[in-house]
């Protein structure tokens, strides 16, 4: 059992500025096959106003200390205090040099934090607190230092030696070894440090900035992936151009390097000048990557690049401010994706993700505000709330201030705080000042937990031609906060005439009508807004573009929703109307209240979408996809994932059969002709054709089943091949076995594609999927040390296959708990993430609750649990039903 001290929560309210600054850090790495030796020389000084008797504290974890020198003098064991968390020196001068020699074992580092090995190469991951696993250091984001890094290693095994900044020198070290020296001119916190050593292929290109400087762009990958970096390179150039055009930000070093590694805890990492990426977000070729993968590569490349300003040049004061860099950078990434493709489709996908990943988090024992107030393990707070709700909050600033003022505010923030470690408040104040607005109340989006409900009532006064919206808000209590104060909520609305036309809007007190969308600002718990000059009662289009991360309640009847789906001029709201219609019909079916008229209405609405003369194939594909099971489950208390699956599948089958000939037509019409291309037309065509194929897979007709098989065997690209394989994986017949086997044989040597093979099976709707998953975790290619593989099997099953995971037998829960315990000994960060589905136990019936809590308890009782998993299971068990 770990000692209690280590479990202590860190609190925002305890923040104190650093007592010592580190001006320069000079690192020397000696890498060998069984260990790594690190010599760190740093120049420190006492911060202004800090007491002379204040001791020096350095963080350090999993390190062997070999030597310590203060101003050149070796320190004896009783000159300092060494604990499992770090090192303290009682008396130090105001200004001094410290030299630390540490010994590390990267070969045994399975946590993938600090210095570790992946595929025979060395690499690092320092965010959030990995640098302390390399050397003793004040490992906190508000200590910014200039780094110099020398790496020495075997020349043949590790021809490529990389670190942040510019390569300034290199040479021979004798005995077949070589060394290189890197200098990063930009002061940075330790979490942005990176090092890579390996035998890697380099794809090089140049980018000319708008001021005419040439930047070297370099992608480093294992040799077998040499021809799969083209898309990432193009994405990087687009991102660089976009940030210049949109925010006026130009890259600030001579080289931008990206290294792809196969073992990585997250998506990618923005280390200054040397990003390290999960291979998943770099490698892409038509044979191995789906259209969604190509899109994700572009988005993540953009995300890490945009961090160069929002995160690196201006960083976070402490980890409670994480959303300062992540919310803002996700928002910038979203804007980039919207500009590169279809803004409406992007917005729909963002909202789907928010609802399926963040809303459930808000409703769970792990709920926390966008700026958390306490944590045991910071790695547990790289969450959907901090990232994507954080991005929604930034989007609301953008909505409230308008595009021009918002961009000006961001620029001003970056200039004012350049080279500093700041807070979410600093950002908010700069925007408020730029916009000349009071954004005080808006700050509650950062401090209050939970998803607000916005309730709308309306009334029409025909005599005066007045239409009034009564809008109220509330936010349910969360484990951390009982009472909530009103939020500042932008509610974008439009009104449609009975002919389907969008009306020009005039609010009471205005003399002319202007625009068809207006942003109403709800600041009180209840307010009313009156529109004038209406000839008839309009149909309201509410929360257009999803202008706030809330749950909207308005009593539409089914006909209104069908009307909005057909006519709303806001594409998001149009999609939303269709989703709400399908949602109701599925829920009524779950409750045994379905009327035949229900499916008829959805069928008719879908048919209208399919037959619309101006059909946009990628928007249509979104409109014709039924709401996700995770979203449906939020509308049921207690949630019954098995019943939801059954009802949703039943509606899918009805839609498949009733519109069979339309699906066949759509499939034929939109399937791109000729060889694969990655352009908007082909992508949209594949998306709609594969959606149609999905319905055809459910008609039960032999002709349609044949089509699925045919597509699998004839496809020249992964999008089509995987779409068909996923449909086959739902079946139990010979064709399914043949295809899965074929796919395995073909791709067993290509890890990212083999992950897909695991994932389609873990997510399949096959009746005996739990057994299948039990077999998958025994498969020789399953490996608990590889996070991508763990996510492809355990994550896909527990998060992406709710009906199977929540199987009445409880087998799914047991399987997850057993793997969380095993994984915790290998990689606590990933283990804690995998445990999260169990934390949501309160949402289910008594029998499931009991089984889920038993498994949580079993995990809690496991010996030597990490802080990561401990925090998730203890918080989950403390919550009351
Ligand atoms: N800062 C990274 C990003 O969002 C996230 C990240 C990558 C990370 N690797 C990590 C966070 C490891 C915690 C631990 O772009
Ligand atoms: Zn990020």
């Amino acid at each position: 059992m770990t000692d209690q001290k280590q479990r202590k929560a860190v609190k925002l309210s305890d923040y104190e500025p650093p007592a010592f600054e580190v001006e320069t850090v000079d690192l020397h790495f000696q890498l060998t096959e069984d260990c790594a030796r690190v010599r760190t020389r740093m120049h420190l000084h006492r911060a202004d106003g800090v007491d002379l008797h204040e001791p020096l504290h350095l963080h350090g974890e999993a390190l062997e200390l070999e030597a310590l020198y203060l101003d050149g003098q070796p320190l004896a064991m009783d000159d300092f205090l060494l604990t499992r968390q770090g090192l303290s020196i009682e008396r130090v001068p105001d200004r001094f040099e410290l030299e630390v020699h540490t010994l590390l074992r990267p070969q045994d580092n399975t946590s993938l934090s600090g210095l570790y090995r992946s595929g025979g190469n060395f690499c690092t991951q320092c965010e959030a607190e990995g640098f302390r696993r390399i050397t003793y250091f004040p490992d906190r984001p508000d200590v910014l230092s200039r780094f110099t890094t020398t790496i020495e290693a075997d020349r043949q095994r590790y021809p490529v030696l990389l670190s942040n900044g510019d390569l300034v020198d290199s040479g021979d070290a004798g005995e077949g070894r070589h060394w290189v020296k890197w200098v990063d001119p930009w002061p940075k916190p330790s979490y942005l440090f990176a090092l890579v050593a390996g035998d890697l292929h380099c794809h090089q290109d140049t980018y000319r900035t708008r001021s005419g400087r040439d930047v070297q762009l370099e992608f480093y990958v294992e040799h077998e992936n040499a021809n799969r970096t083209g898309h990432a390179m193009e994405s990087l150039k687009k991102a660089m151009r976009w940030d210049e055009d949109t925010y006026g930000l130009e890259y600030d070093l001579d080289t931008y390097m990206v290294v792809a590694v196969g073992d990585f805890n997250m998506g990618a990492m923005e280390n200054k000048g040397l990003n390290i990426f999960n291979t998943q977000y770099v490698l892409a070729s038509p044979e191995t990557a789906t259209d969604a993968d190509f899109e994700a590569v572009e988005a993540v490349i953009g995300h890490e690049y945009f961090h160069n300003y929002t995160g690196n040049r201006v960083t976070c004061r402490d980890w409670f401010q994480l959303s300062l860099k992540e919310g803002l950078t996700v928002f910038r990434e979203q804007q980039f994706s919207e500009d590169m493709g279809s803004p409406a489709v992007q917005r729909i996908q963002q909202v789907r993700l928010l609802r399926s990943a963040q809303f459930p988090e808000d409703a769970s024992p792990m709920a926390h505000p966008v700026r958390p107030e306490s944590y045991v393990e910071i790695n547990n707070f790289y969450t959907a709330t901090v990232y994507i709700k954080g991005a929604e909050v930034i989007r609301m600033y953008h909505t409230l201030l308008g595009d021009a003022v918002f961009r000006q505010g961001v620029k001003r923030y970056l200039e004012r705080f350049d080279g500093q470690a700041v807070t979410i408040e600093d950002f908010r104040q700069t925007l408020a000042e730029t916009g000349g607005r009071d954004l005080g109340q808006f700050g509650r989006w950062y401090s209050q937990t939970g998803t607000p409900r916005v309730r709308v009532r309306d009334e029409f006064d025909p005599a005066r031609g007045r239409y009034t919206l009564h809008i109220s808000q509330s936010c349910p209590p969360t484990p951390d906060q009982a009472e909530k104060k009103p939020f500042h909520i932008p509610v974008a609305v439009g009104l449609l005439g009975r002919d389907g036309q969008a009306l020009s809007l005039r609010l009471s007190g205005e003399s002319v009508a202007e625009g068809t969308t207006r942003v109403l600002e709800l600041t009180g718990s209840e307010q009313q807004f009156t529109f004038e000059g209406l000839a008839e009662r309009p149909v309201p289009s509410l929360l257009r573009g999803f202008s706030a991360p809330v749950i909207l309640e308005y009593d539409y009847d089914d006909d209104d929703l069908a009307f909005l789906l057909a006519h709303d001029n806001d594409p998001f709201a149009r999609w939303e109307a269709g989703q709400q219609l399908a949602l109701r019909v599925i829920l009524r079916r779950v409750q045994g209240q379905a009327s035949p008229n229900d499916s008829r209405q959805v069928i008719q609405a879908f048919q209208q979408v399919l037959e619309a003369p101006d059909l946009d194939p990628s928007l249509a594909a979104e409109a014709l996809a039924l709401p996700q099971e995770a979203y449906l489950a939020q509308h049921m208390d207690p949630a019954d994932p098995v019943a939801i699956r059954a009802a949703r599948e039943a509606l899918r089958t009805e839609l498949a059969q009733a519109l069979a000939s339309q699906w066949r037509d759509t499939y034929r019409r939109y399937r791109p002709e000729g060889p694969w291309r990655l352009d908007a037309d082909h992508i949209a065509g594949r998306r709609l054709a594969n959606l149609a194929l999905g319905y055809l897979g459910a008609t039960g007709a032999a002709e349609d089943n044949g089509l699925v098989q045919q597509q699998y065997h004839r496809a020249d690209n992964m999008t089509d091949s995987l779409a068909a394989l996923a449909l086959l994986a739902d079946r139990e017949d010979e064709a399914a076995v043949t295809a899965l086997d074929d796919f395995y044989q073909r791709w067993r040597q290509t890890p990212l594609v083999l992950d897909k093979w695991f994932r389609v099976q873990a997510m399949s709707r096959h009746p005996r999927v739990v057994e299948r998953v039990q077999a998958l975790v025994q498969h020789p290619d399953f490996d608990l040390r590889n996070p991508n593989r763990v996510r492809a099997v355990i994550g896909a099953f527990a998060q992406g296959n709710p009906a199977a995971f929540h199987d009445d037998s409880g087998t799914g829960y047991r399987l997850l708990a057993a793997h969380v315990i095993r994984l915790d000994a290998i990689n606590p960060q990933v283990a804690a993430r995998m445990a999260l589905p169990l934390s949501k136990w309160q949402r289910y019936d008594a029998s499931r609750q009991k089984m889920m809590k038993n498994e949580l308890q079993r995990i809690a009782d496991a010996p030597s649990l990490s802080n990561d998993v401990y925090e998730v299971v203890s918080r989950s068990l403390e919550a009351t039903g």
Side-chain angles (χ1 to χ4, degrees):
M1 191 68 211
T2 333
D3 54 306
Q4 280 312 105
K5 250 205 229 132
Q6 215 183 316
R7 310 284 200 203
K8 230 186 96 191
V10 183
K11 290 194 170 62
L12 170 59
S13 56
D14 290 343
Y15 175 81
E16 288 204 36
F20 292 88
E21 308 280 359
V22 184
E23 291 148 44
T24 59
V25 192
D26 193 357
L27 291 157
H28 183 283
F29 286 82
Q30 192 179 26
L31 304 176
T32 67
E33 288 318 283
D34 44 56
C35 67
R37 287 204 152 75
V38 186
R39 296 201 307 264
T40 310
R41 185 178 299 160
M42 44 193 159
H43 289 102
L44 297 101
H45 69 257
R46 196 178 300 274
D48 283 350
V50 171
D51 193 271
L52 203 77
H53 301 288
E54 189 72 28
L56 171 74
H57 294 293
L58 303 177
H59 299 107
E61 235 177 68
L63 294 171
E64 285 175 50
L65 180 65
E66 292 199 318
L68 189 59
Y69 304 85
L70 202 156
D71 285 329
Q73 296 302 309
L75 294 188
M77 279 309 275
D78 52 1
D79 293 335
F80 57 91
L81 180 73
L82 204 56
T83 70
R84 288 177 54 167
Q85 274 87 244
L87 181 163
S88 317
I89 309 177
E90 202 56 45
R91 292 297 279 267
V92 290
D94 282 346
R95 198 168 272 282
F96 56 101
E97 185 192 273
L98 197 70
E99 188 171 323
V100 186
H101 295 189
T102 49
L103 174 75
L104 339 175
R105 309 233 171 242
Q107 288 78 2
D108 304 332
N109 181 358
T110 57
S111 71
L112 315 187
S113 165
L115 178 67
Y116 66 96
R117 300 203 40 135
S118 175
N121 304 315
F122 287 93
C123 65
T124 56
Q125 171 56 41
C126 292
E127 189 177 3
E129 298 179 339
F131 193 71
R132 63 186 65 183
R133 300 167 63 92
I134 293 173
T135 188
Y136 288 93
F137 196 79
D139 189 15
R140 42 186 288 170
D142 56 354
V143 172
L144 280 75
S145 325
R146 283 202 179 75
F147 281 70
T148 301
T149 308
T150 304
I151 314 167
E152 185 217 296
D154 186 87
R155 190 189 288 275
Q156 217 139 55
R157 283 182 212 257
Y158 311 103
V160 174
L161 303 175
L162 309 174
S163 192
N164 317 83
D166 303 308
L167 178 70
V168 295
D169 204 359
S170 64
D172 194 89
E175 294 171 15
R177 296 173 68 80
H178 68 147
W179 62 270
V180 302
K181 184 175 176 184
W182 293 84
V183 174
D184 184 352
W186 297 99
K188 65 169 177 290
S190 51
Y191 83 87
L192 291 173
F193 170 79
L195 169 153
V196 170
D199 183 5
L200 297 162
H201 167 83
C202 177
H203 174 181
Q204 210 171 43
D205 205 336
T206 57
Y207 173 81
R208 177 155 299 170
T209 68
R210 67 170 181 179
S211 71
R213 275 187 318 112
D214 280 337
V215 179
Q216 292 288 323
L217 309 180
E218 300 177 345
F219 280 81
Y220 291 90
V221 297
E222 289 180 24
H223 291 283
E224 66 257 38
N225 298 320
N227 50 5
R228 294 208 273 154
T229 52
H231 178 68
M233 181 67 83
E234 289 315 303
S235 300
L236 176 58
K237 292 193 239 168
K238 285 181 188 167
M240 294 176 88
R241 182 71 65 214
W242 184 88
D243 218 12
E244 291 176 355
D245 292 347
T246 314
Y247 286 95
L249 300 173
E250 222 179 283
Y251 186 59
D252 57 3
L253 282 167
D254 293 336
T255 325
Y256 192 87
M257 297 173 279
V258 174
V259 179
V261 302
D263 303 277
F264 202 71
N265 282 347
M266 305 267 282
M269 180 62 213
E270 69 267 24
N271 317 302
K272 186 79 188 188
L274 177 56
N275 288 181
I276 299 182
F277 270 60
N278 188 323
T279 43
Q280 198 183 350
Y281 297 108
V282 173
L283 304 180
S285 61
E287 300 74 37
T288 59
T290 62
D291 293 339
D293 293 330
F294 275 94
E295 224 178 276
V297 167
E298 184 180 88
V300 178
I301 290 275
H303 180 102
E304 305 312 329
Y305 178 73
F306 303 143
H307 267 316
N308 190 53
Y309 279 91
T310 49
N312 299 6
R313 285 283 287 263
V314 179
T315 195
C316 301
R317 187 191 74 170
D318 54 73
W319 292 119
F320 298 102
Q321 318 298 326
L322 181 58
S323 198
L324 174 70
K325 74 176 176 83
E326 295 304 344
L328 179 53
T329 303
V330 171
F331 177 68
R332 275 152 51 69
E333 166 206 328
Q334 290 178 349
Q335 288 189 304
F336 171 59
S337 299
E338 287 161 24
D339 287 351
M340 295 299 115
S342 153
V345 171
Q346 287 298 322
R347 189 66 189 135
I348 288 165
Q349 290 173 352
Q350 291 156 16
V351 173
R352 263 195 216 281
L353 182 67
L354 187 80
R355 283 172 170 169
S356 65
Q358 199 277 325
F359 283 14
E361 194 167 278
D362 261 348
S364 84
M366 293 303 290
H368 55 276
V370 172
R371 186 193 55 211
E373 258 143 45
S374 104
Y375 59 77
V376 171
E377 174 51 66
I378 184 56
N379 286 317
N380 285 331
F381 288 83
Y382 285 74
T383 59
T385 300
V386 167
Y387 273 66
I388 59 179
K389 183 175 178 180
E392 292 298 319
V393 175
I394 301 287
R395 185 176 293 266
M396 288 190 286
Y397 280 124
H398 181 267
T399 303
L400 291 170
L401 298 173
D403 187 55
V405 173
F406 176 84
R407 282 190 289 165
Q408 202 188 328
V410 171
K411 277 238 73 172
R412 188 186 292 203
Y413 157 77
L414 292 172
E415 281 156 18
R416 180 175 293 173
F417 299 109
D418 193 11
Q420 297 182 45
V422 304
T423 65
I424 277 169
E425 296 287 284
D426 292 322
F427 181 75
R428 184 161 57 82
Q429 270 170 21
T430 308
L431 286 200
E433 195 184 296
T434 310
R437 294 202 49 166
D438 180 357
L439 294 173
Q441 186 186 354
F442 192 84
R444 288 181 190 151
W445 283 110
Y446 287 100
S447 58
Q448 295 193 142
T449 310
T451 313
R453 269 69 172 161
V454 171
R455 170 128 200 95
V456 181
R457 263 188 322 111
D458 60 348
E459 76 203 325
F460 182 61
D461 175 350
R464 291 206 175 92
R466 275 188 180 167
Y467 176 72
T468 302
L469 294 174
H470 299 265
I471 311 185
S472 61
Q473 61 166 307
S474 64
C475 185
T478 46
D480 56 337
Q481 296 162 345
E483 303 274 333
K484 321 279 172 172
K485 298 199 172 101
F487 291 88
H488 183 172
I489 307 179
V491 183
V493 305
L495 300 177
L496 299 184
R498 295 283 149 183
D499 58 356
Q501 286 300 305
L503 304 173
S504 273
L505 305 177
R506 178 159 70 87
L507 281 160
S508 280
E510 294 177 346
S511 51
V512 285
E514 226 181 291
T516 57
T517 299
R518 298 294 289 267
V519 177
L520 309 177
E521 295 190 25
L522 180 64
T523 51
S525 46
E526 184 155 9
Q527 267 167 267
Q528 60 182 58
F529 301 87
T530 299
F531 295 92
E532 310 261 358
L534 292 143
E536 53 177 0
R537 183 187 196 98
V539 179
S541 164
L542 303 167
L543 206 68
R544 288 186 147 185
F546 202 70
S547 59
V550 302
I551 293 170
L552 176 80
E553 294 166 359
Y554 172 80
D555 294 323
Y556 284 114
D557 60 37
D558 292 2
D559 293 332
D560 288 338
L561 291 175
F563 174 84
L564 288 170
L565 175 61
H567 301 292
D568 200 319
N569 60 323
D570 180 76
F572 172 83
R574 195 159 65 232
W575 169 81
E576 174 74 340
Q579 294 292 298
Q580 293 308 318
L581 184 63
L583 170 94
R584 285 175 181 202
V585 168
I586 295 169
L587 290 175
R588 276 183 222 143
R589 206 184 268 260
V590 171
Q591 268 121 28
Q593 295 165 354
S595 78
N597 199 35
D598 271 358
S599 354
R600 212 174 309 136
Q601 194 145 23
V602 180
I603 291 165
Q604 245 172 41
F606 274 34
Q607 182 167 0
Q608 245 179 47
V609 172
L610 276 168
E611 291 172 356
D614 57 347
L615 175 144
D616 169 334
S618 50
L619 266 179
E622 298 296 342
L624 298 167
L626 293 175
Q628 292 167 318
E629 291 172 4
Y631 179 58
L632 293 164
Q634 290 163 39
H635 297 82
M636 202 184 167
D637 193 20
D640 183 347
V642 175
I644 286 172
R645 164 79 53 91
R648 186 178 182 276
E649 288 306 301
L651 180 62
R652 244 167 65 79
T653 305
E654 280 187 50
L655 284 162
Q657 289 167 347
L659 300 173
S661 70
Q662 283 89 342
W663 297 125
R664 289 180 199 125
D665 281 352
T666 303
Y667 180 75
R668 274 185 230 109
R669 170 134 30 115
Y670 288 95
R671 235 189 138 208
E673 302 264 333
W676 179 93
R677 288 204 317 262
L678 191 70
D679 59 27
D681 280 355
H682 268 208
I683 294 170
R686 279 190 288 272
R687 187 172 290 166
L688 185 54
N690 282 323
L691 175 106
L693 189 70
Y695 281 103
L696 290 172
T699 61
E703 151 192 17
D704 299 325
N705 282 339
L707 209 58
V708 174
Q709 267 169 265
Q710 197 181 77
Q711 172 162 318
Y712 174 76
H713 291 286
R714 292 192 188 161
D716 70 345
N717 65 82
M718 184 52 69
T719 304
D720 290 341
S721 157
L722 192 66
L725 186 71
L727 296 173
L728 287 161
D730 291 343
R731 297 173 11 191
E732 284 191 278
D733 57 8
E734 196 49 39
V737 177
T738 310
L740 281 166
D741 199 47
D742 172 83
F743 195 91
Y744 176 74
Q745 295 304 336
R746 190 148 171 219
W747 297 113
R748 55 187 303 183
Q749 308 293 352
T750 312
L752 290 175
V753 186
L754 195 55
D755 288 337
K756 297 180 192 303
W757 180 82
F758 278 103
R759 189 177 297 111
V760 289
Q761 296 182 78
M763 292 190 34
S764 121
R765 285 163 233 182
H766 188 286
R768 287 198 313 279
V769 66
V770 185
E771 274 167 57
R772 226 188 232 191
V773 173
Q774 278 166 329
L776 290 177
V777 295
Q778 303 294 327
H779 194 281
D781 291 310
F782 182 71
D783 182 0
L784 275 179
R785 285 167 308 182
N786 180 259
N788 285 355
R789 193 59 47 87
V790 169
R791 286 184 281 255
V793 181
I794 311 284
F797 170 66
Q799 287 173 37
N801 202 345
F805 174 62
H806 293 281
D807 183 272
D808 305 331
S809 66
T811 324
Y813 305 148
R814 277 198 295 283
L815 187 142
L816 180 61
H819 284 85
V820 167
I821 293 169
R822 289 177 55 201
L823 184 57
D824 191 40
I826 297 170
N827 186 333
Q829 266 183 53
V830 176
R833 266 172 208 278
M834 291 300 115
L836 288 173
L838 287 171
S839 76
K840 313 221 159 86
W841 60 270
Q842 288 163 304
R843 297 284 306 116
Y844 303 96
D845 62 74
S847 148
R848 288 190 172 103
Q849 287 198 0
K850 185 157 170 268
M851 292 190 287
M852 293 174 86
K853 282 200 280 185
N854 280 343
E855 296 308 322
L856 283 166
Q857 192 60 53
R858 193 152 75 93
I859 300 173
D861 293 340
S864 47
L865 211 60
S866 68
N867 276 345
D868 309 58
V869 171
Y870 165 81
E871 183 172 34
V872 171
V873 296
S874 63
R875 275 178 75 138
S876 304
L877 286 166
E878 277 158 24
T880 47

